[in-house]
Amino acid sequence: MRYSFSDRRRFFLFFMAAPAVIYVAAVGLWPLGQGIWYSFYKYHLLRPARTQFVGLQNYFDIFSDLSARKAILNTFQFTIFSVGLQLVFGFCLALLLWRDSRFNRIVLAFLLIPATITPLVVGLIFKALLGADYGMIGYFLLEAGIGPRSGLLTDGGTALWVLILIDCWEWTPLMALILLAGLKALPADVLEAGLVDGATAWQRFRMLILPLMLPSVFLALTLRSMDAFRVFDSVFVTTGGGPDDATNTLMMLGVKEGLQFFNVGYASAVGNITLLFIALMATALMLVVRRADVRINGK
């Protein structure tokens, strides 16, 4: 039986993609399916013989537990404020670095250094810097009477906000890089036409640059929101979710329940709720950006 060129090409592409599909299914879809399955059971890793089906009880327990509800609130607060600040600061940096010059290229190279450091190391660095007794920043803040005497990371009123600022320090350069790529791709003739027509800098930004930048803004917001909602490393090494659950997040809650208390069923439910919230957040961002695009561009 003879196959046409298009059929042979299709088979070739299928076999080329098959290893990647199998790998994703093995390390992604299969654990995800197991997590969904375990979330319907009361499954304790040290007492597997007592495993019993409980349906949606694990999910009900999460929303009825005060500590879990606090973790959900902290996660949303961390994501909204950290990503919002990163968008504002990143856009400002991208506009400052828009002009192609040697100085801007040098600044951009140094600006990307924070994004190359793992969040675990960043957390350890800032934990050392902000220590009230020995930290280079925390000690002088204490001497100046700024913040609580126990330290910014050990006070329930300031710990989460400090973590938000740490996240902004690390990931604002990445946000700026994504937005800068969008600025570089803007059509020069449209911007020049606005300049010739006498539009001010603010008018060009509001009526030309911002509408054309909506796809880049959506990409930056989606990527950073998905990553920020899963924050764990920096929280784990700086506060461990404390004090008094002030910085506890969904990922911290899931890790504690699964690896510290061995409640696999409950931890699986926490992971599934995290994925659900991320999907809902990405969908909401897509709808908001799409509606703004329709309102501005009329498409």
Side-chain angles (χ1 to χ4, degrees):
M1 182 177 180
R2 295 179 60 87
Y3 293 99
S4 63
F5 174 77
S6 60
D7 291 335
R8 294 197 301 271
R9 183 175 181 274
R10 192 178 300 111
F11 291 147
F12 174 75
L13 295 176
F14 172 79
F15 286 114
M16 288 292 291
V21 173
I22 294 173
Y23 174 79
V24 170
V27 303
L29 296 180
W30 175 251
L32 177 62
Q34 278 190 316
I36 296 174
W37 177 264
Y38 287 143
S39 68
F40 298 122
Y41 286 83
K42 184 178 180 181
Y43 176 31
H44 196 282
L45 198 61
L46 299 181
R47 297 186 294 272
R50 300 183 185 179
T51 301
Q52 57 178 333
F53 179 79
V54 294
L56 298 176
Q57 188 60 47
N58 286 322
Y59 296 94
F60 294 146
D61 290 342
I62 291 173
F63 288 101
S64 62
D65 181 59
L66 181 61
S67 179
R69 293 202 304 269
K70 179 66 173 176
I72 294 173
L73 181 62
N74 288 340
T75 304
F76 273 103
Q77 183 178 345
F78 179 89
T79 303
I80 292 171
F81 283 98
S82 65
V83 176
L85 289 173
Q86 289 167 36
L87 178 64
V88 174
F89 294 148
F91 220 133
C92 293
L93 284 173
L95 291 172
L96 291 174
L97 298 173
W98 191 1
R99 186 184 300 275
D100 191 14
S101 65
R102 179 179 299 178
F103 176 77
N104 284 353
R105 289 194 294 269
I106 295 175
V107 171
L108 183 61
F110 284 102
L111 192 67
L112 292 176
I113 292 177
T116 62
I117 307 174
T118 61
L120 190 71
V121 175
V122 170
L124 291 173
I125 292 173
F126 276 94
K127 184 179 181 180
L129 290 175
L130 295 173
D133 297 328
Y134 56 84
M136 295 180 61
I137 298 176
Y139 175 78
F140 290 107
L141 290 178
L142 182 63
E143 290 295 315
I146 300 175
R149 297 194 60 83
S150 59
L152 295 175
L153 287 172
T154 57
D155 185 84
T158 59
L160 185 62
W161 295 105
V162 172
L163 290 176
I164 290 172
L165 294 178
I166 292 174
D167 194 71
C168 290
W169 178 86
E170 181 175 13
W171 296 113
T172 295
L174 178 63
M175 183 78 78
L177 182 62
I178 296 174
L179 297 175
L180 180 61
L183 289 173
K184 295 285 187 180
L186 294 181
D189 53 345
V190 176
L191 300 179
E192 291 174 359
L195 184 62
V196 171
D197 290 340
T200 63
W202 170 247
Q203 289 173 332
R204 292 198 304 273
F205 175 78
R206 182 172 60 87
M207 303 177 66
L208 294 176
I209 297 175
L210 192 57
L212 294 173
M213 283 289 293
L214 283 178
S216 298
V217 170
F218 169 70
L219 175 63
L221 283 177
T222 303
L223 291 177
R224 281 303 305 133
S225 297
M226 293 171 62
D227 193 45
F229 204 84
R230 298 181 295 107
V231 62
F232 170 75
D233 304 47
S234 58
V235 179
F236 177 75
V237 298
T238 52
T239 65
D244 296 328
D245 291 334
T247 59
N248 199 26
T249 62
L250 278 171
M251 288 298 293
M252 280 295 303
L253 178 65
V255 170
K256 286 180 181 179
E257 290 292 336
L259 300 181
Q260 184 176 350
F261 304 119
F262 304 112
N263 295 323
V264 177
Y266 189 90
S268 299
V270 172
N272 294 334
I273 288 176
T274 303
L275 289 176
L276 178 61
F277 280 143
I278 290 175
L280 292 176
M281 194 162 42
T283 303
L285 284 173
M286 182 177 63
L287 293 176
V288 169
V289 173
R290 176 59 181 165
R291 182 172 297 180
D293 187 43
V294 171
R295 187 176 67 251
I296 296 174
N297 299 322
K299 296 181 181 179

